[in-house]
């Protein structure tokens, strides 16, 4: 799942998320690991910042936070 949040006012954002690397969700019974999640800040200026799983940052109007949820591990 991918969520994009566009900010309309300046504010402080806190992120508390897991499975952003380097260890993906594990598979069971020989299943492959799931995909890692990602947090990306797309600044209105065009700058792109890759964010860790836990972060606090200042955003401005027009900035977009993209949160990509990690996938689950496979089975069998």
């Amino acid at each position: 799942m991918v969520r994009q949040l566009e900010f309309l006012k300046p504010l402080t954002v806190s992120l508390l998320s897991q499975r952003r690397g380097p260890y993906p969700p594990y598979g069971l019974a020989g299943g492959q690991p799931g995909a890692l999640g990602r947090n990306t800040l797309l600044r209105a200026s065009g700058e792109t910042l890759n964010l860790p799983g836990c972060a606090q940052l200042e955003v401005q109007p027009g900035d977009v936070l993209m949160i990509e949820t990690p996938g689950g591990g496979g089975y069998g």
Side-chain angles (χ1 to χ4, degrees):
M1 177 185 294
V2 177
R3 293 181 211 120
Q4 291 186 344
L5 306 168
E6 182 176 356
F7 300 99
L8 304 177
K9 296 183 179 182
L11 58 100
T12 302
V13 173
S14 295
L15 285 172
L16 297 173
S17 55
Q18 297 180 4
R19 303 289 188 198
R20 296 322 193 245
Y23 305 106
Y26 57 88
L28 293 175
Q32 297 295 311
L36 290 171
R38 287 191 295 207
N39 298 326
T40 308
L41 182 65
L42 309 169
R43 294 270 189 203
S45 66
E47 180 184 14
T48 299
L49 300 172
N50 292 317
L51 304 172
C54 297
Q56 184 173 356
L57 60 141
E58 303 296 321
V59 295
Q60 300 300 318
D63 290 350
V64 175
L65 176 61
M66 185 165 52
I67 301 170
E68 299 177 63
T69 304
Y75 180 81

